[in-house]
Amino acid sequence: MIQCQCLIGIVNKSQFGQRLDRVLVELFPDYSRSRVKSWILDGKVRINERVTTIPKEKMLGGEVVKINAITEEVQCWDAQDIALDILHEDADIIVINKPRDLVVHPGAGNADGTVLNALLHYYPLIADVPCAGIIHRLDKNTTGLMIVAKTCLAQTRLVKSLQERKIIREYEAVVLGTMTSGGTVSQPIARHATKRIHMVVHPMGKPAVTHYRIMEHFRAHTRLRLRLETGRTHQIRVHMAHINHPLVGDQLYGRRLHPLKGATKSFDEIYCHFNRQALHATMLRFHHPITAIEMEWHAPLPKDMVELVNVLKVDQEKFKRGIDWL
């Protein structure tokens, strides 16, 4: 089936001097460089409303790029009756609270059973919106807030807001080690050269910025509030591991959890068996794509992270009392 859609992006200042075809591959990573080049040569690409047919044209940064893309839909996804925790819905958007163990989009190893399949069942008309209206993604075992567009216009405007960094996304996490202060990690992220599901900090990667502040100290852990300035794959997980404070339970970028010296058996049962990254998308703030009204949504920590935080608090109090007794 042939499908037409309008892709809109804004060239980053960091892409100054890069070729148009290379920039478009970075802005729209779902499409190959050969596909992007064919769109340029066919006159399907506009830069600030000016048609260009030159793949090598150099970018200055800040240009608005539009592609009247013609794609061939190679797969039709099935609608599946999967429950969604919907916090808000109107004619244009849906805000959901994603649980753990749920993939957002079908892919290798996850052909179905995803948020996308659930959306197709819940609102069949969303099949006409690119990617079923999914604006941004959360990892399979990251919980929390996601925005979904119900119309093409809402999708286009939300994607533009995301690229312009106008959608505020905040997370809560528990990391290994005691951090002394908040800060910012500004390190580019790229895909690992040989481990294709891993991302790494790399000088040739895409710009990535994560801000964090301390919410709570524990004996050997820290609870953080983090804000994304960019949205790279696994960004928080990679950045925290890079500064030697990986997320508790992160099986890709962290390390195996071991009992703490002097901890209780109940602590070990919860802590050592926490089998996902301790990361939750807790706040979203954005302007509605149609009404322009500012909206803000919050999602409380899920049960498993509440239990983790509670046992860390109890352990911290016992540790303090133990110090006082010395």
Side-chain angles (χ1 to χ4, degrees):
M1 178 176 68
I2 300 299
Q3 183 182 39
C4 300
Q5 64 184 59
C6 180
L7 305 175
I8 300 177
I10 298 176
V11 181
N12 295 323
K13 294 294 184 182
S14 62
Q15 294 171 311
F16 172 83
Q18 291 188 25
R19 293 165 47 126
L20 172 62
D21 54 355
R22 185 181 297 275
V23 168
L24 294 185
V25 169
E26 292 181 0
L27 290 178
F28 308 108
D30 290 339
Y31 302 102
S32 67
R33 190 166 180 176
S34 60
R35 172 64 64 86
V36 165
K37 185 176 180 179
S38 69
W39 286 335
I40 298 171
L41 295 174
D42 291 341
K44 303 294 184 184
V45 177
R46 290 176 175 268
I47 301 174
N48 294 334
E49 300 300 334
R50 170 181 58 83
V51 175
T52 181
T53 58
I54 306 173
K56 294 182 180 180
E57 181 172 343
K58 297 298 176 61
M59 297 290 97
L60 298 176
E63 296 95 335
V64 177
V65 179
K66 293 183 181 179
I67 305 177
N68 292 318
I70 299 177
T71 59
E72 185 175 344
E73 190 73 15
V74 296
Q75 183 179 9
C76 291
W77 293 296
D78 295 327
Q80 294 178 308
D81 188 3
I82 301 170
L84 291 171
D85 182 7
I86 296 175
L87 303 186
H88 170 81
E89 181 179 10
D90 58 41
D92 305 289
I93 64 171
I94 302 172
V95 178
I96 67 173
N97 184 17
K98 190 187 84 66
R100 60 171 294 173
D101 298 319
L102 184 61
V103 174
V104 170
H105 194 282
N110 297 282
D112 56 14
T114 70
V115 171
L116 185 146
N117 300 106
L119 288 168
L120 291 173
H121 179 271
Y122 177 77
Y123 185 67
L125 292 178
I126 212 166
D128 296 329
V129 183
C131 293
I134 294 171
I135 305 301
H136 59 112
R137 304 184 187 186
L138 297 176
D139 296 335
K140 176 181 178 180
N141 282 322
T142 297
T143 55
L145 295 166
M146 287 180 55
I147 320 167
V148 177
K150 294 173 68 176
T151 67
C152 288
L153 178 59
Q155 194 258 4
T156 298
R157 291 181 177 177
L158 284 171
V159 168
K160 183 179 179 183
S161 293
L162 191 65
Q163 292 174 339
E164 293 177 342
R165 303 181 183 181
K166 293 180 178 178
I167 297 179
I168 307 302
R169 292 168 290 167
E170 292 191 352
Y171 293 71
E172 282 195 31
V174 179
V175 301
L176 299 177
T178 302
M179 304 179 76
T180 57
S181 63
T184 297
V185 182
S186 181
Q187 294 289 339
I189 292 176
R191 193 165 295 279
H192 194 283
T194 57
K195 301 176 182 178
R196 299 309 296 168
I197 64 171
H198 285 62
M199 307 299 290
V200 293
V201 166
H202 192 281
M204 299 304 292
K206 296 179 181 179
V209 180
T210 305
H211 306 285
Y212 63 92
R213 61 180 175 85
I214 294 172
M215 293 182 67
E216 201 167 3
H217 282 114
F218 305 114
R219 175 153 65 114
H221 303 82
T222 308
R223 182 180 177 186
L224 298 177
R225 182 87 168 205
L226 307 104
R227 177 176 289 192
L228 290 181
E229 190 170 313
T230 54
R232 308 305 176 199
T233 301
H234 299 174
Q235 179 172 317
I236 290 175
R237 300 165 64 187
V238 172
H239 274 173
M240 290 300 102
H242 179 71
I243 61 173
N244 296 316
H245 290 285
L247 272 61
V248 168
D250 194 333
Q251 299 178 25
L252 274 183
Y253 304 104
R255 50 184 179 264
R256 187 174 178 180
L257 301 179
H258 296 286
L260 288 183
K261 184 178 180 180
T264 64
K265 183 178 180 181
S266 59
F267 173 92
D268 290 341
E269 287 177 351
I270 293 176
Y271 174 72
C272 294
H273 294 90
F274 194 89
N275 61 353
R276 71 168 180 102
Q277 62 269 11
L279 184 62
H280 175 69
T282 191
M283 190 278 280
L284 269 175
R285 183 165 66 244
F286 58 95
H287 287 87
H288 192 281
I290 306 302
T291 67
I293 295 173
E294 186 176 72
M295 309 180 78
E296 183 169 316
W297 299 96
H298 296 262
L301 288 179
K303 181 181 178 181
D304 61 346
M305 281 190 67
V306 170
E307 291 179 344
L308 175 65
V309 169
N310 285 342
V311 296
L312 290 170
K313 285 181 179 180
V314 171
D315 177 77
Q316 171 73 358
E317 289 303 313
K318 289 185 176 180
F319 178 71
K320 281 183 178 180
R321 290 199 298 270
I323 295 295
D324 291 341
W325 291 341
L326 294 178

